[in-house]
RNA sequence: GGAGAGGUGGCAGAGUGGUCGAAUGUACCUGACUCGAAAUCAGGCGUGGGGGUAACUCCACCGUGGGUUCGAAUCCCACCCUCUCCGCCA
């Protein structure tokens, strides 16, 4: 959500930033609506003020035992205008909200201009790409050969884009999540949280998934929606609050199942575990002071990188261009892990600074000691990491010629003595 | 699911139709006293929005949404949430 006041004062900057996102100018249209809304507000408030004043007089007169007939008649004369005036104000307000609610965050100044992922900028690479003296298999082939990854069983239960893991692979998924959580909580300053995965519409509005991206989500027949990421629950924990400045930054992490309809992804990544309707993810969320959010963004991304490094998985860091960034983000780093069978890097983490965009939508503010006004916090979120994709990366990068998987040393203590998963 | 109680400012807690955005206490901030602190005293102390260069002023908000009324924290209706007891249950 954007600041109307700011748009009023900087309509050209607003439109220029929208243009960077490939969107048409909307400043003028918004400001016209805004002017109409404020006029309606003034009109309706004027009526209310007159009514309040008259009512107060009536109260005083009655107390003095005087006649109030004349005044009451006077109020009645304009009172019936009030509902219409309020209605008009409400209608225009809703109209503005509808327009503003689907405008994405504006890109930060240092985000490169671009149309799509081809214009993203690679910032760094870590690790050496493993060389195999055999043809490396894909994770789903490896999993099937091990007899521990079953897409047909999942299809029987749930249809396409689900998986059943078994034995050591189920254990590996659990080990990875636990390894990640232990790092975040013990070394990275995050507090572990366990949150619902079913949420109300308001929460999804707060983080920006709604109203625009309803088709990407699953919803219940009741009024709940399934979260596509724990970013939704963790970030919305500070919704409708005024935090003490000293409490910032607030760092939270959670492992949850994530649910995505993958509408519009038909035909992409149809085999294997890359793109599932349900997957485990460890998420990091930071609620930061505006002055420190850039620093926090770097810190968060580094944390995700550390996990990949400890797992010995080659990756690169990408700075997303304006055309590839998510709706709520003003700057996003993606981490992409090397997948030998695909012979390319694939996204395994996305770390975004949303600035005050989400905070405005969910009214998450802070106040310093002695400050007169509240300010909006900055919200950041990042995967640390997508557990399913990390499992894929471990399988493919640590595969051996006999089809066995060597377990990265960092996971040994989590695997109950298993150091190699054999067919 | 059944029965009952309740949702008021950071917290506690008054307020059942009228100068109530809301007593009082506490916490917090400022000042006085003090070498300093405590105690004490005085003042201040919610959020969002409109108008105004400003001083300032207006509107809304007492769980949420409707309604009654000249006027609603207070009355009526619906919903949500919390607590207690009963039933069921991972």
């Amino acid at each position: 959500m954007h600041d109307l006041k700011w748009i009023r004062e900087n309509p050209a900057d607003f439109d220029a930033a929208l243009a960077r996102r490939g969107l048409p100018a909307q400043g003028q249209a918004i400001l016209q609506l805004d002017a109409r809304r404020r006029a309606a507000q003034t009109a309706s408030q004027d009526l209310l003020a007159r009514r309040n004043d008259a009512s107060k007089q009536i109260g005083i007169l009655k107390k003095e035992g005087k006649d109030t007939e004349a005044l009451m008649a006077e109020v009645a004369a304009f009172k019936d205008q009030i509902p219409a005036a309020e209605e008009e104000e409400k209608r225009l307000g809703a109209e503005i909200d509808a327009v503003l609610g689907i405008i994405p965050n504006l890109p930060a100044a240092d985000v490169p201009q671009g149309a799509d992922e081809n214009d993203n900028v690679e910032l760094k690479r870590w690790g050496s790409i493993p060389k195999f003296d055999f043809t490396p298999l894909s994770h789903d082939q490896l999993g099937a050969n091990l007899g521990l990854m079953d897409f047909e069983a999942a299809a029987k239960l749930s249809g396409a884009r689900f998986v059943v893991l078994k034995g050591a692979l189920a254990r590996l998924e659990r080990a990875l999540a636990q390894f990640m959580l232990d790092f975040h909580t013990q070394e990275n300053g995050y507090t572990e949280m366990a949150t619902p995965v079913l949420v109300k519409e308001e929460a999804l509005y707060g983080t920006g998934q709604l109203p625009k991206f309803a088709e990407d989500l699953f919803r219940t027949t009741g009024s709940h929606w399934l979260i596509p990421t724990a970013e939704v629950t963790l970030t919305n924990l500070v919704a409708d609050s005024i935090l003490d400045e000293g409490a910032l930054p607030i760092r939270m992490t959670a492992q949850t199942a994530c649910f995505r309809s993958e509408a519009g992804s038909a035909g992409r990544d149809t085999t294997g575990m890359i793109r599932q309707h349900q997957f485990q993810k460890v998420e990091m969320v930071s609620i930061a002071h505006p002055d420190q959010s850039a620093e926090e963004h770097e810190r968060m991304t580094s944390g995700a990188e550390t996990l990949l490094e400890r797992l010995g998985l080659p990756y690169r860091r990408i700075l997303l261009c304006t055309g590839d960034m998510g709706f709520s983000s003003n700057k996003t780093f993606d981490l992409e892990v090397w997948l030998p069978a695909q012979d390319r890097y694939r996204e395994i983490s996305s770390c975004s600074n949303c600035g005050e965009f989400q905070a405005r939508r969910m009214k998450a503010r802070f106040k310093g000691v002695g400050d007169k006004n509240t300010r909006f916090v900055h919200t950041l979120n990042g995967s640390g990491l997508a557990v399913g994709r990390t499992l894929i990366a471990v399988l493919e990068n640590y595969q051996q010629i006999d089809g066995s998987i060597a377990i990265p040393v960092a996971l040994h203590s989590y695997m109950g003595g298993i150091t190699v998963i054999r067919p």
Side-chain angles (χ1 to χ4, degrees), chain A residues 36-37 39-41 44 82-95:
Chain A
R36 286 173 57 201
R37 197 201 93 244
Q41 184 180 23
S44 116
I82 290 176
E86 285 183 326
E87 189 55 40
E88 176 73 352
E89 178 190 350
K90 204 185 274 185
R91 192 183 62 76
L92 287 165
E95 210 173 312

Side-chain angles (χ1 to χ4, degrees), chain A residues 141-158:
Chain A
Q141 290 173 304
L142 291 162
N145 293 346
L146 290 168
L148 302 177
M149 185 183 290
D150 194 339
F151 293 97
E152 286 174 21
K156 185 169 68 181
L157 299 172
S158 309

Side-chain angles (χ1 to χ4, degrees), chain A residues 274-290:
Chain A
I274 287 272
R275 193 174 297 277
Q276 303 269 283
H277 285 311
Q278 175 184 337
F279 59 94
Q280 292 290 323
K281 182 157 61 68
V282 172
E283 182 77 358
M284 295 176 275
V285 161
S286 290
I287 310 300
H289 190 287

Side-chain angles (χ1 to χ4, degrees), chain A residues 15 17 55 59 78 111 120 133 146 167 169 211 235 256 290 295 300 323 384 389 396 412 414:
Chain A
D15 284 337
S55 294
F78 66 81
V111 169
N120 293 341
D133 45 15
L146 290 168
L169 280 192
T235 310
T256 66
E295 191 185 326
M300 174 182 274
R389 288 192 177 179
E396 294 198 5
H412 282 184
Y414 294 96

Side-chain angles (χ1 to χ4, degrees), chain A residues 152-288:
Chain A
E152 286 174 21
K156 185 169 68 181
L157 299 172
S158 309
R161 293 200 191 282
F162 290 92
V163 68
V164 170
L165 299 177
K166 183 178 170 187
L169 280 192
R171 173 88 191 226
L172 179 58
E173 184 183 54
R174 175 158 62 95
L176 280 167
Q178 213 153 319
F179 159 72
M180 294 172 193
L181 286 169
D182 281 351
F183 170 74
H184 292 313
T185 56
Q186 291 165 21
E187 300 180 54
N188 206 21
Y190 282 79
T191 300
E192 182 170 353
M193 312 291 284
T195 71
V197 295
L198 289 170
V199 296
K200 297 190 285 190
E201 187 175 319
E202 288 88 331
L204 288 156
Y205 181 86
T207 34
Q209 283 81 14
L210 290 179
K212 202 172 179 185
F213 305 101
E215 70 278 8
D216 294 333
L217 304 170
F218 287 111
R219 63 190 303 186
T220 68
T221 53
S223 55
H224 289 110
W225 300 68
L226 281 79
I227 59 170
T229 161
E231 165 199 346
V232 175
T233 47
L234 293 179
T235 310
N236 275 287
L237 284 172
V238 297
D240 294 311
S241 62
I242 300 173
L243 305 161
D244 288 333
E245 185 172 25
L248 304 176
I250 298 170
R251 300 189 177 111
M252 296 172 283
T253 184
Q255 179 207 186
T256 66
C258 302
F259 303 90
R260 300 185 181 179
S261 74
E262 295 301 341
S265 301
R268 288 168 60 195
D269 303 311
T270 50
T271 59
M273 278 179 66
I274 287 272
R275 193 174 297 277
Q276 303 269 283
H277 285 311
Q278 175 184 337
F279 59 94
Q280 292 290 323
K281 182 157 61 68
V282 172
E283 182 77 358
M284 295 176 275
V285 161
S286 290
I287 310 300

Side-chain angles (χ1 to χ4, degrees), chain A residues 94-112:
Chain A
E95 210 173 312
I96 291 181
D97 287 346
V99 172
L100 283 183
I102 57 171
I103 296 176
N105 201 352
L106 305 179
D110 57 348
V111 169

